[in-house]
Amino acid sequence: MGEVVGVIRDYNFLTLRDEMHPLALFIEPSWTVLLVKISTQNIPNTLRLLESSWDGINAGSPFSYTFLDDDYAAFYQTEQRLGQIFGGAALLAVLIACLGLFGLASFTAEQRTKEIGIRKVMGANVPGLIAMLNKDFTILVLIGFAIAVPLAWWTMTTWLEGFAFRIDLAWWIFAIAGGLALVIAWISVSFQSLRVATTNPVHALRYE
């Protein structure tokens, strides 16, 4: 048994997946590991100085070193890779969805050219026509959002359960995602909606 010279607060010395465990720190006469806080100004010279000092004190052990921030970063390499993969996949999915919405908007606008011409003759304004054309796409996005939210919530909750220290999934995270999806959809289809809504009604009524 040794003498207790101090008590410190609990801290997490493992990954965020692990609970905080009891820890006792000892001063060993024959140590082979040393933690040193150094300046980042001139790391190569500092390492050479540390190696020289190490060889003078503990010549029996080879000098090797790692940086603590790199060691902690290695704990989360899997999550970082998954983040990059899912980020790229999400970007690709958004691009494909935008192309699909743009094509669907073009098709819908062509199908309703005469209807829009008649509505303009009857006094409909451009903002009202754009809102009418965008309404169907808004409903589709909201249906997709309603399906995606439970799946996303379950997936994220299951993944976060593997961490002892984790955030709570707040409702506003999904609200922001839904808002962004709506904005992206509106931007994708508004060009076609605006083009058809501003067409001369005479040309629209002649459209076959």
Side-chain angles (χ1 to χ4, degrees), residues 16-111:
L16 295 178
R17 301 183 190 89
D18 301 298
E19 297 280 357
M20 289 190 295
H21 300 288
L23 173 67
L25 303 176
F26 298 90
I27 299 177
E28 291 288 344
S30 58
W31 46 268
T32 58
V33 177
L34 184 66
L35 297 179
V36 180
K37 182 177 180 180
I38 65 174
S39 172
T40 59
Q41 298 299 321
N42 196 345
I43 293 179
N45 287 340
T46 303
L47 291 176
R48 284 193 293 269
L49 177 62
L50 288 174
E51 183 177 7
S52 175
S53 301
W54 178 271
D55 291 339
I57 298 173
N58 198 0
S61 299
F63 177 77
S64 62
Y65 66 90
T66 61
F67 292 100
L68 195 58
D69 54 348
D70 293 337
D71 294 339
Y72 276 105
F75 289 156
Y76 308 105
Q77 284 182 350
T78 301
E79 284 74 19
Q80 291 175 348
R81 285 196 294 266
L82 286 176
Q84 293 172 352
I85 292 172
F86 283 117
L91 179 60
L92 182 61
V94 169
L95 291 176
I96 294 174
C98 288
L99 291 174
L101 283 172
F102 187 81
L104 185 59
S106 300
F107 176 77
T108 302
E110 292 296 327
Q111 293 293 314

